[in-house]
Amino acid sequence: MGSLGDITLENNNVMCPPNPLDPEEFRRQGHMMVDFIADYYHDVDKYPVLSQVSPGYLRDLLPDSAPNHAEPIEAILQDVRNHIVPGITHWQSPNYFAYFPSSGSVAGFLGEMLSVGFNVVGFNWMSSPAATELETIVMDWLGKMLSLPKPFLFSGGGGGVLQGTTCEGILCTVTAARDKVLNKIGRDRIGDLVIYSSDQTHCALKKAAQIAGIRPDNIRALPTRQRDAFGLCPETLRSALAADVSEGLVPLYLCATVGTTSSTAVDPLRGLCEVAAEHDIWVHVDAAYAGSACICPEFRHFIDGVENASSFSFNAHKWFFTTLDCCCLWVKEPQHLVNALSTNPEYLRNKATESKKVVDFKDWQIALSRRFRALKLWMVLRSYGVANLRNFIRSHVNMAELFEGFVAKDERFEVVVPRNFAMVCFRLLPPLGSRSARDGGLETANAINKRLLDAMNATGKIYVTHAVVGGVYIIRFAVGASLTEERHVRSAWSLVEEQAEALLAELEVQAALQEKAEAGLTEFNVHAAMQEQAGQAVHA
């Protein structure tokens, strides 16, 4: 690698730089890059799933400054192989079971290549008509696959837009809801607006609310209960709304979740929407993870009641084989987004916009600039078709069901919450003879499961993450990586058993030592008491 210290000038001549978009050089380097990535996927299961590097590792390996002279692609790729790959947590590994999946596909990659290759900035219709029109078509296609009510589709007066992430989608809808209400009650009452969700809702809602100017103490995270499978009870919402109204506050927005991050809990949409309608508040349905599954008829019931919501979103980059970033957001009344988010400077004025016959997606999002995301989603839908996409998702659900069966059959473990989709939430039970079991110590049981999770991840063979639900530390096993097969799930369970056996053996030894120490201490106390009594007798 070169650096700024390598500067050399010959005869003070300035060399012309190479054409940065030379077609033949792109062809040569592009083939090398495709081969590199294909080789990476061929061998991805050989890498430790969770990166094993220490903080700051890369700064010690790379120069302090950028190179002054051009370096060949061969040298750059060699450094990627040697320095970058070891610092990657391999989300596409078949042994990745952490967080939620970020599934990819050949079609998704190729669509991304097309999007990057064209490199259009599709902020309005004029800037690239195909980018806008393909997005409206693809969003209606996908909405029909989900059986979304017609008012959410362009063909029914609503419409869909591709955002970067759910965080952006929630922020857009919170902003639209805010302005809709403040335009009625006065901008000075922003401090009275209240936002509602369950205590299982993603932190994206809180972030969006804060950015939108909602007071932090007006963000309600309503409690959920295990007997409701950690879904938000409509009566809990009704009570919270009544309490706030009695204090002169203004209910604004409810975020209902289908597939929470912690446990894939599902909020009962129909009941929540009925309660929300009593106060005319915006209801957003966040199905970031589980929305993909709802293209399957057997899972569609999880979003029953969405017809009464104001907006709905899911992430195609999670479990829909479309690369990051690609959040699908539908709204029934797009005008509320436009009213809150549009700007119309002179330099963007054009006949198409003024004709009112086109969509300018810059007015449906936070940023002005936007990528041609519709290409990759269009290619995924066309390359695999609805039937195959459904079967991909079903295969992951079946593998999760297999893992759940392993857990259920082993008396040392328990499934903590019901499985809804392709994630199993489980934990290791404390051994019956241990102090934690005798004392009922939840804190100790949680510590045992944290040790188990850390031990599994330290092997590099799999990667899993955790959550705390109802005070219980759970291990989340999320199936969804595109390369995962049944053999990887079976191997993962074998690793769970192996690490659990080692941990339980260690705990057994510790318990025996503890009992021995306590017995020794008791024996010492008895001996000391006898000596004291003897001493008192002699003194008497």
Side-chain angles (χ1 to χ4, degrees), residues 443-456:
E443 184 176 342
T444 303
N446 288 348
I448 290 173
N449 280 275
K450 184 180 186 306
R451 287 179 62 183
L452 176 59
L453 180 138
D454 290 342
M456 290 188 294

Side-chain angles (χ1 to χ4, degrees), residues 367-399:
L368 174 65
S369 301
R370 63 194 326 269
R371 302 171 59 231
F372 196 168
R373 294 188 183 97
L375 267 175
K376 59 187 176 183
L377 191 53
W378 184 57
M379 287 196 66
V380 166
L381 293 174
R382 292 192 62 190
S383 296
Y384 304 120
V386 178
N388 277 327
L389 290 168
R390 286 172 174 163
N391 287 333
F392 287 153
I393 289 168
R394 287 170 177 145
S395 70
H396 291 147
V397 174
N398 291 339
M399 285 186 274

Side-chain angles (χ1 to χ4, degrees), residues 101-103 288-293 299 314-322 392-394 396-397 421-422 479-481:
S102 179
S103 60
Y289 160 69
S292 299
F299 295 114
F314 88 93
N315 287 343
H317 59 247
K318 272 190 168 65
W319 196 15
F320 206 73
F321 314 99
T322 307
F392 287 153
I393 289 168
R394 287 170 177 145
H396 291 147
V397 174
F421 304 102
V479 181

